[in-house]
Amino acid sequence: MAETVTSPNKEVKPPNPQIENLKIVWKKLKKNKIAMAGGFLILFFILASWIGPLLTTMDPSQPNIPDRLQGPSAEYWFGTDHQGRDIFTRIVHGMSITLYIGFVSVALGCVAGVFLGLISGYYGGRTDTVIMRIMDVLLAFPGILLALAIVSVLGGSLNNVIIAVGIFSIPVFARIVRGSALAVRKLEYIDAVRALGASDTRIIFKHVLPNIMSPIIVQATLRIATAVLTASGLSFLGLGAQPPTPEWGAMLSAGRNYMWEHPHIALFPGLAIVAVVLAFNLFGDGLRDALDPKMK
Amino acid sequence: MLTYTIRRIFQTIPVLIGVTILVFSLMHLIPGDPAQIIAGEQANQEQVEQMRERLGLNEPLPVQYWNFVSGAVQGDLGNSIRSGRAVSSEIGARFWVTVELALYSTILSIFIGLIAGIISATKRGTVTDSLIMIVALFGLSMPNFWLGLMLIQYFSLGFGWFPVSGWGSPQQLVLPVITLGTAGAAIIARMTRSSMLEVIHADYIRTARAKGVKERYVIYKHALRNALIPVVTVVGLQFGALLGGAVLTETVFAINGLGRFVVDAIRMRDFPIVQGSVLVLALMFVVVNFLVDISYRFLNKRIELD
């Protein structure tokens, strides 16, 4: 991969090259209005997930049967669900769950995938073959199916969904990192560092990893979008977060029997998912353009 | 070409073995005793032992794996816990529904994705381009089950144009195929656009233009042909993703396909069905990817020969 080739001469310069790089990336990113919009949306969602629940006055899970199935109004902005709970309140409380699933599952998949990819790309040979074949096996399960199979074994719960979606992301990171690590490994300066007596661990973490951060960051951002979609799908199938948790996929699942006559029950939780996924996709796209235009 | 095909077949074998090992392990990774689960919770010790004996669960694991694989090759995937019927015949009854759904959705997503992508690339920087790309981004960001629910809401219940559920008649196909195909169309549109833009700046396109070749001809004959090569790979991956996505679409539209079957089986803890269906879907994905790889190679070769 070509994006790594520019780095070696920067690596020897005395001013901290990482910070210089960041400045360049920030400059490019700032010019990309759509990406910035995505970034601000993400920041807004994080803040909302944190402060929002403190501002809402209604209880997200306490049923209030007399007010069930009300349309949107001044009191209930997004209406109420089949148990009379305020949908807006539930969506605000569900925000932290959605972000938690997205960040934690991708972090799990990213750490494991990056580790495997680095080992694979750096050592090559038989280690590489074995690891990459295992990744191929994981990739052989189309889409949500791998996560579904894992949940079928672990049982349906929020944490198991996070584990399942995390495992589902491992091969994606492993593949990208392996490719980049292979390219970096062949650079002359890695030979130089090795000749100076650096250990493999030091070379991998101190020299190879910093050079391939761009594709990892881009992929992680885009992957959060996928993770949120997958997790909401599992919850919709009844295999993820269980009621009365205000998880958006679970809300859609619980409201299914009522949504035909009361469309607002399905509309708003779905829009919330779209908004979060869109924000991460926008930001991820922009990051990709800023970090490396050649990357696809 | 032949050597490549053979080499690729040999690369596929370890993946197939891995897939079967993983699917085989599913049963043994579930917390609890598989014999007890299959015999049912109310079964007594004796019945559980009988079940263990019958399923060969007291054999060493490698022997059990071998029995599983040799059974699968002969089309024997065990029996459903609930219905007692052979898993293979249960799957067979639903397999083609899912394949049909995934196939139509793939065709739709290629059709729409290519057209949108080409328009976007040729009108780069215009309002049309931005509009198409924004719609594509939304298409990517929508949970497909939610899109399905919305389509039912407005087009089935609202306008009454299409039936709410089921599969078979042409009217019944429309909404599920749109539901499943949208994300794919978005991905293919984005891919086609960026691939076209790359090609449009290539030297041979400039040469073609300089020779006075008509613009339309340049786009469709020269640019598109080469731009399509990377798109082919995406199409293969898409078909696979759609097989997985069918799980949700089939659930929303109550379509009696393999995807919904798996979900129901997971809910009812009918593990032989889960194993069988997951195995069939994964094997199909592996085969499709294999074919795509070969055709990709073939397309590349053709270009070189030209």
Side-chain angles (χ1 to χ4, degrees):
Chain A
M1 289 205 166
E3 76 268 16
T4 47
V5 181
T6 50
S7 316
N9 18 13
K10 280 183 199 145
E11 195 69 22
V12 275
K13 262 195 267 167
N16 190 336
Q18 244 79 42
I19 292 180
E20 291 300 308
N21 259 334
L22 274 182
K23 278 186 192 161
I24 299 171
V25 168
W26 175 242
K27 251 190 189 164
K28 281 192 195 162
L29 199 60
K30 253 197 329 200
K31 271 193 219 146
N32 189 335
K33 288 201 186 80
I34 299 177
M36 288 306 280
F40 279 120
L41 268 177
I42 294 173
L43 278 181
F44 170 76
F45 290 144
I46 292 173
L47 275 177
S49 74
W50 187 31
I51 300 171
L54 304 174
L55 300 179
T56 54
T57 50
M58 283 175 254
D59 190 298
S61 30
Q62 187 65 42
N64 176 22
I65 303 298
D67 279 356
R68 69 197 293 260
L69 299 172
Q70 306 234 338
S73 64
E75 193 188 358
Y76 303 115
W77 290 357
F78 291 172
T80 62
D81 68 4
H82 60 289
Q83 296 195 12
R85 297 169 298 198
D86 179 44
I87 292 179
F88 179 74
T89 306
R90 282 175 70 71
I91 286 178
V92 170
H93 283 259
M95 183 71 80
S96 58
I97 302 174
T98 301
L99 294 177
Y100 177 75
I101 296 172
F103 282 115
V104 176
S105 66
V106 171
L108 283 177
C110 182
V111 168
V114 167
F115 180 73
L116 290 172
L118 279 172
I119 293 178
S120 215
Y122 185 78
Y123 289 106
R126 186 167 296 196
T127 323
D128 178 33
T129 314
V130 172
I131 293 178
M132 285 340 270
R133 283 287 108 49
I134 294 175
M135 294 303 113
D136 284 347
V137 170
L138 292 183
L139 285 172
F141 295 88
I144 201 172
L145 200 67
L146 180 63
L148 207 63
I150 296 167
V151 169
S152 78
V153 169
L154 298 176
S157 79
L158 194 61
N159 283 331
N160 290 345
V161 164
I162 291 175
I163 295 171
V165 176
I167 296 176
F168 169 60
S169 302
I170 292 176
V172 182
F173 286 103
R175 275 203 167 175
I176 291 175
V177 169
R178 172 185 177 265
S180 312
L182 265 177
V184 173
R185 189 184 65 156
K186 293 196 186 106
L187 300 177
E188 269 171 32
Y189 93 96
I190 296 288
D191 284 338
V193 178
R194 191 177 296 129
L196 288 172
S199 67
D200 281 351
T201 323
R202 190 182 159 81
I203 295 176
I204 290 177
F205 288 101
K206 194 85 185 163
H207 299 282
V208 179
L209 188 59
N211 269 307
I212 58 178
M213 280 316 279
S214 310
I216 296 176
I217 292 170
V218 171
Q219 198 55 44
T221 314
L222 294 172
R223 209 57 205 172
I224 290 177
T226 315
V228 169
L229 282 179
T230 311
S232 69
L234 289 172
S235 291
F236 176 72
L237 294 173
L239 302 172
Q242 302 297 325
T245 316
E247 200 273 342
W248 301 337
M251 285 170 71
L252 287 169
S253 170
R256 261 193 88 181
N257 295 330
Y258 308 92
M259 61 179 61
W260 311 129
E261 279 163 40
H262 308 277
H264 68 271
I265 291 181
L267 183 66
F268 294 109
L271 284 178
I273 300 173
V274 176
V276 170
V277 175
L278 193 67
F280 281 99
N281 274 336
L282 283 174
F283 192 58
D285 274 0
L287 267 181
R288 176 168 52 197
D289 292 344
L291 286 171
D292 179 31
K294 270 171 267 159
M295 222 171 84
K296 280 262 159 56
Chain B
M1 192 64 210
L2 188 67
T3 38
Y4 177 75
T5 311
I6 293 170
R7 213 177 63 218
R8 197 59 188 69
I9 289 174
F10 276 105
Q11 274 174 1
T12 310
I13 291 171
V15 175
L16 291 179
I17 295 174
V19 167
T20 51
I21 290 179
L22 205 79
V23 172
F24 167 75
S25 315
L26 280 182
M27 192 64 142
H28 295 271
L29 290 171
I30 318 161
D33 177 7
Q36 177 81 56
I37 292 168
I38 293 181
E41 270 159 30
Q42 63 278 47
N44 60 33
Q45 197 55 38
E46 199 181 326
Q47 286 168 312
V48 172
E49 284 313 316
Q50 265 176 0
M51 184 56 80
R52 198 188 310 282
E53 187 72 31
R54 194 158 71 84
L55 296 173
L57 287 168
N58 40 14
E59 306 259 14
L61 279 182
V63 176
Q64 286 188 44
Y65 171 69
W66 176 249
N67 290 340
F68 172 71
V69 173
S70 55
V73 170
Q74 293 161 32
D76 175 15
L77 291 163
N79 293 317
S80 158
I81 297 177
R82 301 282 149 170
S83 71
R85 279 197 287 268
V87 172
S88 48
S89 67
E90 295 267 24
I91 290 176
R94 293 164 176 87
F95 179 73
W96 292 110
V97 173
T98 301
V99 172
E100 249 187 332
L101 175 60
L103 201 65
Y104 292 152
S105 307
T106 308
I107 293 169
L108 179 84
S109 60
I110 294 172
F111 188 69
I112 295 185
L114 276 185
I115 293 178
I118 293 168
I119 295 177
S120 225
T122 48
K123 305 206 175 212
R124 186 192 191 175
T126 63
V127 181
T128 321
D129 176 26
S130 314
L131 218 67
I132 290 177
M133 283 302 112
I134 289 171
V135 172
L137 208 63
F138 267 96
L140 268 184
S141 307
M142 257 189 288
N144 74 13
F145 58 92
W146 181 70
L147 174 63
L149 293 174
M150 291 296 112
L151 290 175
I152 294 176
Q153 184 77 55
Y154 294 104
F155 293 101
S156 303
L157 300 171
F159 300 126
W161 292 348
F162 304 104
V164 175
S165 63
W167 183 258
S169 75
Q171 284 94 336
Q172 280 175 323
L173 309 189
V174 177
L175 296 185
V177 168
I178 294 176
T179 301
L180 192 54
T182 298
I187 292 173
I188 292 173
R190 282 159 54 110
M191 187 80 196
T192 309
R193 177 180 183 269
S194 67
S195 180
M196 282 281 280
L197 288 179
E198 222 160 80
V199 173
I200 283 175
H201 295 295
D203 284 341
Y204 61 87
I205 295 294
R206 207 174 331 144
T207 312
R209 283 201 179 122
K211 280 196 309 189
V213 179
K214 274 201 198 105
E215 184 65 19
R216 194 170 262 275
Y217 198 76
V218 171
I219 298 291
Y220 291 99
K221 180 77 192 175
H222 295 278
L224 184 62
R225 238 181 115 182
N226 292 297
L228 276 184
I229 298 171
V231 178
V232 175
T233 335
V234 182
V235 169
L237 285 174
Q238 267 316 299
F239 184 74
L242 293 191
L243 286 176
V247 170
L248 287 157
T249 309
E250 286 174 6
T251 304
V252 170
F253 288 95
I255 294 170
N256 212 357
L258 211 46
R260 181 163 162 247
F261 196 46
V262 181
V263 176
D264 288 343
I266 291 175
R267 284 207 197 106
M268 296 200 262
R269 303 182 68 76
D270 196 339
F271 286 99
I273 299 253
V274 177
Q275 274 187 316
S277 316
V278 170
L279 184 66
V280 168
L281 286 171
L283 290 185
M284 210 159 95
F285 188 34
V286 171
V287 171
V288 169
N289 271 340
F290 170 76
L291 293 177
V292 167
D293 259 20
I294 301 288
S295 58
Y296 180 77
R297 187 74 176 201
F298 186 71
L299 276 174
N300 254 336
K301 194 96 182 174
R302 280 283 297 277
I303 303 289
E304 276 164 31
L305 287 175
D306 284 353

